[in-house]
């Protein structure tokens, strides 16, 4: 588990990596979880939360509703009393446990998606009722917590990012941290919209961009990639 701190005392802990990263954002007595990983990681995720002394979660924020992000939402809501936050475009998917569609951004991932669709056209996970719906922006203000959520669509229509203390952005699958020198994800429904979302994220003062897959991206790399891809897509 790796932890980052901000100047105002927020702690961002990557409590799970592997299939998908799960982040815990804490400040004083407020606990916020971002994403849940997939079913196979449920036990270890619960164990790590308990090990950190977390018995209650104030919020669970879903960056989007793919199975490797939302599969344990219902269980975490029940066990830790988390209020669930999801973007409006994908609230219905979460409530019915439907995996929102994926599309490859290159030849290989496009064929992979077609193959997966043939093998299992109906991918589902336990449905989870939601509590709060985000449109373009939501400011989460409670006790000493002041963070905001931004709609950053492209990977999926309801993808969103969490801006912690205007320093660290948790970006879900809007970016990847797997390929050296690149943040471009292998899957996105709307690439143009996703590049625009990078621009939106660069308007914050964040200098670290933490994706759900792979390691953290620094601002310089995101700027470089944004410049390159916004030119190509003109
Ligand atoms: Zn995804």
């Amino acid at each position: 588990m790796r932890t980052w701190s901000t100047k105002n005392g927020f702690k961002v802990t990557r409590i799970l990596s592997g299939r998908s990263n799960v982040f815990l954002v804490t400040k004083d007595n407020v606990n916020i979880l971002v994403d849940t990983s997939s079913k196979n990681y449920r036990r270890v995720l619960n164990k790590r939360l308990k090990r950190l002394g977390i018995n209650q979660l104030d919020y669970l924020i879903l960056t989007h509703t793919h199975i490797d992000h939302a599969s344990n939402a219902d269980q975490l809501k029940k066990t830790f009393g988390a209020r669930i936050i999801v973007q409006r475009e994908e609230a219905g998917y979460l409530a019915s446990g439907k995996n929102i569609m994926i599309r490859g951004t290159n030849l290989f991932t496009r064929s992979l998606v077609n193959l997966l669709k043939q093998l299992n056209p109906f991918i589902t996970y336990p449905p989870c009722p939601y509590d709060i719906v985000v449109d373009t922006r939501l400011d989460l203000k409670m006790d000493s917590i002041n963070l905001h959520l931004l709609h950053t669509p492209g990977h999926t229509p309801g993808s969103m990012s969490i801006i912690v203390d205007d320093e660290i952005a948790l970006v879900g699958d809007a970016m990847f941290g797997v390929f050296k020198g690149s943040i471009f994800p292998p899957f996105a429904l709307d690439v143009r919209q996703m590049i625009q979302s990078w621009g939106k994220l660069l308007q914050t003062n964040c200098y670290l961009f933490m994706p759900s897959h792979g390691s953290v991206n620094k601002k310089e790399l995101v700027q470089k990639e944004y410049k390159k891809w916004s030119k190509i897509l003109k």
Side-chain angles (χ1 to χ4, degrees), residues 64-69 102 155-156 159 172-173 176 187 213:
H64 62 295
T65 58
H66 277 147
I67 43 161
D68 54 334
H69 298 258
I102 54 172
H155 174 70
T156 60
S159 285
D173 288 358
F176 259 52
F187 304 97
H213 302 280

Side-chain angles (χ1 to χ4, degrees), residues 85-221:
I85 308 182
V86 65
Q87 208 279 335
R88 189 173 301 281
E89 299 269 353
E90 287 176 46
Y93 285 88
L94 182 68
S96 54
K98 263 195 228 142
N99 186 53
I100 190 161
M101 167 186 159
I102 54 172
R103 186 178 295 144
T105 54
N106 60 53
L107 209 59
F108 172 70
T109 50
R110 269 197 290 274
S111 347
L112 187 69
V113 168
N114 286 335
L115 182 72
L116 290 174
K117 261 190 218 152
Q118 281 164 25
L119 291 174
N120 187 359
F122 306 108
I123 303 169
T124 57
Y125 53 88
C128 176
Y130 52 86
D131 299 282
I132 299 169
V133 160
V134 179
D135 287 306
T136 47
R137 177 184 167 132
L138 177 82
D139 287 77
L140 215 54
K141 288 186 178 143
M142 61 181 292
D143 299 337
S144 56
I145 288 279
N146 190 1
L147 50 82
H148 68 272
L149 281 60
L150 277 184
H151 185 205
T152 47
H155 174 70
T156 60
S159 285
M160 62 179 177
S161 302
I162 295 87
I163 311 298
V164 183
D165 216 6
D166 213 18
E167 287 187 29
I168 297 173
L170 307 175
V171 299
D173 288 358
M175 298 171 194
F176 259 52
V178 176
F179 316 105
K180 206 175 178 308
S182 165
I183 63 166
F184 203 89
F187 304 97
L189 284 173
D190 189 331
V191 168
R192 205 171 280 272
Q193 204 178 41
M194 181 184 73
I195 309 293
Q196 284 163 3
S197 291
W198 294 354
K200 208 169 172 183
L201 285 161
L202 283 170
Q203 280 167 16
T204 67
N205 289 314
C206 291
Y207 55 86
L208 293 177
F209 299 82
M210 301 191 181
S212 295
H213 302 280
S215 50
V216 55
N217 293 316
K218 294 205 175 123
K219 186 175 191 169
E220 296 72 44
L221 178 62

